Amino acid sequence: MSASDEVYCRLDKRNRIVGVGGAWDRFALANDGGAVTAARVLGTDFLSHVSGEATRSLLDRVLRGARRSSAPVVLPFRCDSPECERHMEMTVQAEPASGILLAYRVLRVVPLPVPLRFVGSGLPRGRMLFRCSTCNRLLRDGRWHEPSSVDVPATPIAVSYGVCHDCRDTVERLLPAA
């Protein structure tokens, strides 16, 4: 996905995916996402595709906040590939009948010095690292670090997804008042 590509997702009032567009399938297929192509996600619960309870909970709060506001909510995040950091933003906009439009776009791409591959399971929980779903930093020794700066075992790296305090605070600041 390049800076010129955008990906769109439309949700109904129950957060079911009712439409996708832009470079959706191209992005999915280029990132081992055959399970999330348009044909496979239409009609499914959007939040069922989100890893980590803390991430699902925060994203649900974002969707509810956007439905209460006429202004779009724009959130920064990272969606890295094994070879590069992808700095992106997600715009969450309420639509008629309590729907939601999610638009994703790349802001910049930065090559990683060493490719990193992550998996969401495969090791006992005690052997996994925590990874922030928003900034992609890894929790190691009680601190959040850029993945490229953490001495990790050979890839793929088993991770459990959550949201770091910095990202949670940023999202909370950007949401409309309740």
Side-chain angles (χ1 to χ4, degrees):
M1 184 172 181
S2 69
S4 63
D5 292 328
E6 286 194 351
V7 174
Y8 304 94
C9 180
R10 280 200 156 80
L11 309 179
D12 68 9
K13 65 183 178 184
R14 290 200 222 129
N15 294 333
R16 285 182 307 218
I17 300 172
V18 295
V20 296
W24 184 277
D25 278 353
R26 186 164 25 113
F27 183 76
L29 293 171
N31 290 281
D32 296 325
V36 291
T37 58
R40 297 185 129 187
V41 299
L42 290 174
T44 65
D45 177 2
F46 175 73
L47 294 173
S48 73
H49 300 284
V50 176
S51 296
E53 183 55 40
T55 308
R56 274 191 301 278
S57 177
L58 186 61
L59 192 50
D60 182 56
R61 179 154 159 40
V62 168
L63 297 175
R64 285 185 282 118
R67 285 185 170 100
R68 288 191 310 267
S69 175
S70 59
V73 176
V74 180
L75 302 171
F77 73 103
R78 288 226 336 238
C79 183
D80 294 356
S81 74
E83 294 80 26
C84 63
E85 296 176 3
R86 282 190 293 238
H87 298 261
M88 301 181 66
E89 69 180 12
M90 173 177 65
T91 301
V92 184
Q93 175 71 53
E95 291 196 305
S98 297
I100 291 283
L101 173 65
L102 301 164
Y104 306 91
R105 74 181 183 105
V106 175
L107 302 173
R108 73 182 186 283
V109 176
V110 179
L112 288 170
V114 176
L116 296 171
R117 297 194 188 284
F118 296 95
V119 293
S121 61
L123 291 175
R125 189 168 177 87
R127 301 217 19 225
M128 298 177 109
L129 292 175
F130 286 98
R131 186 177 189 195
C132 179
S133 296
T134 302
C135 68
N136 281 347
R137 291 183 300 167
L138 297 170
L139 182 62
R140 185 108 197 226
D141 301 323
R143 294 185 50 205
W144 292 93
H145 303 273
E146 285 296 322
S148 59
S149 71
V150 175
D151 182 28
V152 293
T155 61
I157 302 160
V159 294
S160 177
Y161 288 93
V163 181
C164 72
H165 295 298
D166 292 341
C167 289
R168 180 172 298 284
D169 291 347
T170 297
V171 170
E172 293 289 342
R173 272 193 320 272
L174 294 171
L175 288 177

